[in-house]
Amino acid sequence: GAGVSQSPSNKVTEKGKDVELRCDPISGHTALYWYRQSLGQGLEFLIYFQGNSAPDKSGLPSDRFSAERTGGSVSTLTIQRTQQEDSAVYLCASSFRTSGSVGELFFGEGSRLTVL
Amino acid sequence: GNSVTQMEGPVTLSEEAFLTINCTYTATGYPSLFWYVQYPGEGLQLLLKATKADDKGSNKGFEATYRKETTSFHLEKGSVQVSDSAVYFCALIGQAGTALIFGKGTTLSVSS
């Protein structure tokens, strides 16, 4: 597609369940980012993938959170044993990043997660 | 570490009013600075950017100047429209950084 695609757009789950959120970046973009947007908290960086380099996981809030990016394209963010405080909108972004420039980030419309 | 602080909202203005949304940052070296906008029901999109001191980013009538001496990147528009109602995020990426760091966002509401 033309833009960053995320699925599901809405997910309601019960506390303790695992969830997977998917991101399909813009074709050809080398960098992929996950952010979490909570009310009043702005956008919290979670994880960043660039090409074949090891991902920057410094923003993941706990070991219940993990992400992978297969084939340099699609990414999945997994939250295990979900807690109510995980409720938020999870945003994915991609960019064409070189060593000299970060490039413009293009965002998907997000996956809204509600943990009951 | 790097951080961004922007004025809390909501900011409520009448059409054609002057807008300023303050943004200050903390970073080592020379970060690149950005303003992103999120219109109702839409994804975040880049509004403008500046990559070095004294640069002015501009787009859609909005402007922001990279002020190294005051570590600021305030967003301004001379005459706002109802269609400018959105959430505005100031952001930076550090000189050696990987991730774009965002402020908490400022909600702007413009009435006719």
Side-chain angles (χ1 to χ4, degrees):
Chain A
V4 177
S5 178
Q6 292 188 245
S7 61
S9 55
N10 278 287
K11 175 73 176 179
V12 180
T13 190
E14 294 179 347
K15 178 181 172 182
K17 301 285 189 184
D18 297 352
V19 297
E20 286 189 350
L21 308 176
R22 176 188 168 105
C23 173
D24 206 335
I26 293 172
S27 178
H29 277 190
T30 56
L32 187 147
Y33 307 76
W34 282 99
Y35 289 85
R36 178 167 68 176
Q37 186 175 19
S38 306
L39 195 62
Q41 296 301 312
L43 283 91
E44 176 187 5
F45 164 70
L46 298 177
I47 188 168
Y48 157 70
F49 298 89
Q50 168 64 17
N52 296 321
S53 302
D56 176 357
K57 304 180 182 179
S58 60
L60 294 178
S62 77
D63 58 9
R64 296 186 296 104
F65 288 73
S66 62
E68 63 177 20
R69 188 179 186 193
T70 54
S73 182
V74 172
S75 177
T76 302
L77 177 69
T78 301
I79 309 173
Q80 296 178 308
R81 305 181 302 282
T82 52
Q83 303 295 312
Q84 289 182 332
E85 61 263 28
D86 299 334
S87 296
V89 177
Y90 290 82
L91 293 171
C92 177
S94 70
S95 72
F96 182 72
R97 183 164 180 162
T98 67
S99 59
S101 171
V102 68
E104 178 180 347
L105 268 67
F106 292 84
F107 282 82
E109 294 195 9
S111 293
R112 180 177 297 278
L113 173 66
T114 303
V115 182
L116 302 176
Chain B
N2 297 339
S3 66
V4 175
T5 302
Q6 60 183 107
M7 62 187 289
E8 294 190 18
V11 174
T12 304
L13 296 173
S14 297
E15 206 165 23
E16 300 183 2
F18 183 86
L19 168 71
T20 300
I21 300 178
N22 290 338
C23 172
T24 57
Y25 67 88
T26 301
T28 54
Y30 297 88
S32 294
L33 303 174
F34 305 81
W35 278 98
Y36 275 77
V37 60
Q38 188 173 33
Y39 297 104
E42 298 184 17
L44 273 160
Q45 55 188 275
L46 179 65
L47 180 60
L48 53 84
K49 68 178 181 182
T51 57
K52 60 182 187 295
D54 300 324
D55 266 3
K56 177 185 285 187
S58 61
N59 186 25
K60 300 183 179 180
F62 290 89
E63 293 183 339
T65 301
Y66 186 163
R67 301 285 188 201
K68 180 81 174 158
E69 63 275 16
T70 54
T71 61
S72 66
F73 193 53
H74 304 321
L75 182 68
E76 296 182 336
K77 186 173 185 181
S79 176
V80 294
Q81 305 300 312
V82 172
S83 57
D84 294 327
S85 298
V87 183
Y88 292 82
F89 293 90
C90 186
L92 74 79
I93 184 161
Q95 197 169 3
T98 56
L100 200 56
I101 304 299
F102 286 87
K104 292 189 176 183
T106 302
T107 301
L108 171 65
S109 178
V110 181
S111 58
S112 57

